[in-house]
Amino acid sequence: MLVVGKAGVRHQPDVRDAYVDTLRAKGPDALLDEFAADFFAPGSDVDHVRALMHQQSVDQLVRGVTAFHTRPDAADVLAEFKGPVRIVRGVHDRIGRHNPTDPRTIEVPGAGHYVNLDQPTAFTAILRELLP
């Protein structure tokens, strides 16, 4: 099972740099306040995400953002994967490029780009259903 893999990744150094600059200059609260609308469904309670962010130092968060935005494309892994494939996306995802009409797509109501953080119970239920 490939979870949270990115096939067709787009490297966006300008976006990465904006996140890193915000983290370093203003801290994790400012990053979440400024960019939450890009990642989470409207009206989402992101306090649990904020709490997770506060468990890390700014340097750790910067390393995570940098790693995330420079990771290799997993399209070849996906193309060679022999098991069943499901694309889990939030109904309110404004970043992902997956076609919601693809029959492999499972759309999660009340979720944005980070389904596992926005709707963790729904995401876990999907994983449990897919796991043997």
Side-chain angles (χ1 to χ4, degrees):
M1 175 178 285
L2 180 65
V3 177
V4 191
K6 277 291 202 187
V9 68
R10 304 171 288 194
H11 290 287
Q12 298 173 297
D14 56 327
V15 172
R16 178 202 59 220
D17 293 348
Y19 297 161
V20 167
D21 291 347
T22 299
L23 276 168
R24 286 194 171 132
K26 302 177 187 174
D29 287 326
L31 180 75
L32 193 55
D33 292 343
E34 290 179 30
F35 298 103
D38 293 338
F39 301 113
F40 301 100
S44 289
D45 178 6
V46 295
D47 287 341
H48 65 288
V49 176
R50 192 178 306 278
L52 288 170
M53 291 176 76
H54 280 279
Q55 292 176 14
Q56 313 301 317
S57 70
V58 168
D59 286 341
Q60 290 170 318
L61 292 170
V62 166
R63 282 195 300 274
V65 167
T66 301
F68 185 80
H69 282 272
T70 57
R71 70 201 181 283
D73 187 341
D76 57 337
V77 174
L78 183 59
E80 294 176 17
F81 186 71
K82 302 296 183 213
V85 172
R86 297 296 179 271
I87 301 161
V88 180
R89 69 181 302 273
V91 170
H92 300 283
D93 186 351
R94 299 179 351 184
I95 297 171
R97 298 181 296 160
H98 295 293
N99 179 353
T101 62
D102 185 320
R104 302 174 300 174
T105 299
I106 300 171
E107 287 198 312
V108 179
H113 187 66
Y114 291 123
V115 177
N116 59 318
L117 294 174
D118 220 352
Q119 293 294 330
T121 303
F123 186 76
T124 301
I126 291 166
L127 289 180
R128 286 193 174 138
E129 184 178 309
L130 296 174
L131 290 172

